[in-house]
Amino acid sequence: MNNFEEKKFEDKIIKIFIEALRDTDRKRRFQAAFALGVIGDKRAVEPLIEALSDEDSGVRNVSAYALGNIGDERAIEPLIAALKDNGWDVRKEAVTALGKIGDGRAIEPLIETLKDEYDEVRELAAQALGETGDKRAVEPLIETLKDKSWFGRGAVAEALGNIGDERAVEPLIEVLKDERWDTPRKEIIKALGKIGNERAALTLIDVLKDRYEKEQAFAAEALGKMGERRAIKFLIAVLKDGGCGYNLKKASAEALGAMGEKRAIKFLIAILKDDSRYILCPVIRVLEKLKWQPLNDLEKAWYYIANRKWDKCAALGEVAVRPLLAALSEENECMTSKVIGETVAKIGEPAIVPLIEVLKKESNWCMRTSSAKILGEMRITPGCKKIIKALIKALKHETGYKRSMVARALGKTGSNKAVRQLIKALKDEVYDEVRRESAEALGKIGDARAVAPLKKILQKETHSDVREAIQEAIQKIEVS
């Protein structure tokens, strides 16, 4: 289809939808208005304006939505009229549409809509006024902010921040002092950060020093965006405080990174060493921004992980295992689990004992599960007493998927010292995969002592995959 044919086809479709706006079927009118809004062709503006008077509130609603999407100024006055519609959902879409189009004629009607009887309509009116950036809205928004009964004051604070007028600073600070549970502190703090004058900066520093941790995190983020260097010593104090939570540390680290504060580097490195599994990715991103260079092998491991230099990371050996596992625990944020697992596997047997240590001592479930998976997939040289002993111990204490992966790893060692514990694992009543992996491991080890227990367990086993694994294990042992 050439351009001419495409244009002809599009014209035909638009014509069909415009005609459908007058269909007797309410559902067809609704679908036509929606489709015209998606297409966004200005030929639909007048028919959609006419549809704002449709007898069905759903059609009026979607027509207002469509006009907002098209963004033609011819719709301003009809949409202003729609702010008085009996249907609150129609008024809601009219407010949103006026905010999108952003015409100055809508400011006073939107200000009036701050008094609408429906909370959602009022909140959207505040948002729309903020999107326009028109300073005529400042005083009405301030008055609305002071009204403690007004639902959605967070939208009002956000709107004042978007407009950026300094008249809003003192009222925002006054409301911030209110200890009521519904005080929109997050939005107020962010608004003060956007306005960014001297009074706002000092208030945000006070919040960083004295308020609740959640609010401190918002203040740290705002101060970082403002580039407010008077906050640096307080932000560094957060990094040094081992009792601070994830969000506050993350916000403080990012704020220091945004300001290019190199004094933060040594404290960020300390966080990597102590709390890496919780805040690895944000800290590494900040260190990259600060152009950090590593001083020892452990720091090199973090550096190589940050820069995705997996082969160099593997070459560091055992020292890189825990940083890699910490990265693996945050894979959903910024890392790829497969490549990290492959990197640990490349390190080989030096990684096995650290992996088992993670299984024994680590409280982070994700790290323990990842360690078990890597153990199960690693190539293990038979006969290493230290590794076998550690795996046997892990098999006793782990459960579920982690226990099954340890059983698989024991099968790769080929050690008959694991036979007794693997036979016990065959009796795991909860996890089918533990019984299956234990049977397969016994088959690989090939010790004749396992045949009788395998045959006994086979008589009671009901899971088909496990039965098959037991039968294959018995066959392997008897043939050998």
Side-chain angles (χ1 to χ4, degrees), residues 136-193:
R136 285 178 288 170
V138 172
E139 292 297 341
L141 285 168
I142 288 171
E143 288 305 310
T144 305
L145 184 72
K146 292 176 183 176
D147 184 355
K148 294 180 182 180
S149 67
W150 206 89
F151 176 86
R153 286 193 297 164
V156 177
E158 190 175 340
L160 287 166
N162 288 338
I163 295 170
D165 192 295
E166 292 190 3
R167 286 176 290 170
V169 170
E170 291 301 332
L172 285 165
I173 291 171
E174 197 59 36
V175 175
L176 186 62
K177 295 174 185 176
D178 191 338
E179 295 294 334
R180 282 165 46 119
W181 67 270
D182 59 348
T183 300
R185 293 186 178 86
K186 172 184 173 182
E187 291 82 1
I188 290 172
I189 289 167
K190 290 191 171 186
L192 289 170

Side-chain angles (χ1 to χ4, degrees), residues 84-118:
K84 304 291 185 184
D85 195 283
N86 290 332
W88 72 270
D89 55 338
V90 180
R91 299 199 301 275
K92 181 184 78 169
E93 288 299 340
V95 165
T96 303
L98 288 166
K100 284 182 179 179
I101 298 171
D103 190 284
R105 288 172 287 173
I107 300 301
E108 295 299 336
L110 285 171
I111 289 171
E112 191 62 28
T113 307
L114 290 172
K115 301 171 186 175
D116 193 279
E117 62 181 308
Y118 280 86

Side-chain angles (χ1 to χ4, degrees), residues 20-40:
L21 287 174
R22 298 184 177 88
D23 198 283
T24 55
D25 186 332
R26 168 258 172 214
K27 188 174 181 181
R28 287 186 179 177
R29 298 198 306 276
F30 182 96
Q31 290 171 337
F34 181 81
L36 288 166
V38 171
I39 293 169

Side-chain angles (χ1 to χ4, degrees), residues 399-467:
T399 59
Y401 176 78
K402 296 182 287 295
R403 194 181 191 197
S404 70
M405 290 297 100
V406 172
R408 182 186 292 183
L410 277 168
K412 293 178 181 179
T413 68
S415 173
N416 56 16
K417 291 182 179 179
V419 170
R420 184 187 298 176
Q421 200 60 42
L422 284 166
I423 288 170
K424 286 184 179 179
L426 270 174
K427 299 173 185 176
D428 192 310
E429 295 179 358
V430 179
Y431 299 101
D432 299 334
E433 67 265 33
V434 173
R435 302 198 299 277
R436 178 172 54 79
E437 291 289 354
S438 297
E440 289 179 2
L442 287 165
K444 288 175 183 176
I445 293 169
D447 192 302
R449 291 176 296 167
V451 173
L454 283 166
K455 287 182 176 179
K456 186 176 179 180
I457 290 165
L458 181 62
Q459 293 174 3
K460 298 179 181 179
E461 181 60 57
T462 57
H463 196 282
S464 59
D465 287 349
V466 181
R467 287 182 60 83

Side-chain angles (χ1 to χ4, degrees), residues 192-361:
L192 289 170
K194 285 182 178 179
I195 297 170
N197 69 359
E198 177 74 4
R199 182 80 169 98
L202 292 174
T203 300
L204 290 173
I205 290 171
D206 286 340
V207 171
L208 187 62
K209 290 189 290 184
D210 300 327
R211 299 292 294 191
Y212 305 111
E213 191 164 291
K214 193 173 181 181
E215 294 168 30
Q216 288 175 312
F218 298 138
E221 181 184 352
L223 288 162
K225 289 178 179 176
M226 290 168 64
E228 180 51 69
R229 300 192 66 80
R230 285 173 291 183
I232 286 174
K233 67 177 181 179
F234 303 108
L235 295 168
I236 287 178
V238 168
L239 299 188
K240 292 161 67 176
D241 185 351
C244 289
Y246 173 89
N247 288 325
L248 179 52
K249 274 193 178 178
K250 175 177 179 288
S252 298
E254 289 174 346
L256 289 162
M259 289 188 269
E261 183 49 60
K262 291 189 178 292
R263 284 179 293 172
I265 289 176
K266 67 177 180 179
F267 303 109
L268 293 167
I269 295 296
I271 290 173
L272 283 181
K273 291 175 181 175
D274 297 336
D275 293 323
S276 56
R277 62 189 179 276
Y278 301 117
I279 194 170
L280 166 67
C281 294
V283 166
I284 285 181
R285 282 196 293 264
V286 173
L287 285 168
E288 285 183 284
K289 189 175 284 188
L290 295 173
K291 304 194 183 304
W292 156 69
Q293 293 294 319
L295 300 176
N296 54 49
D297 281 353
L298 181 60
E299 290 187 12
K300 283 179 183 177
W302 297 120
Y303 181 80
Y304 293 146
I305 290 168
N307 292 282
R308 315 295 195 267
K309 295 181 179 179
W310 305 114
D311 288 338
K312 287 187 175 183
C313 196
L316 291 172
E318 186 174 332
V319 72
V321 174
R322 189 167 181 85
L324 283 163
L325 292 173
L328 192 60
S329 75
E330 297 191 28
E331 62 177 271
N332 289 335
E333 184 174 353
C334 68
M335 299 294 178
T336 304
S337 60
K338 183 178 179 184
V339 73
I340 294 176
E342 288 170 352
T343 304
V344 176
K346 281 180 185 178
I347 293 171
E349 291 189 4
I352 291 175
V353 172
L355 285 166
I356 294 169
E357 283 297 305
V358 169
L359 287 178
K360 284 164 56 179
K361 298 178 181 178

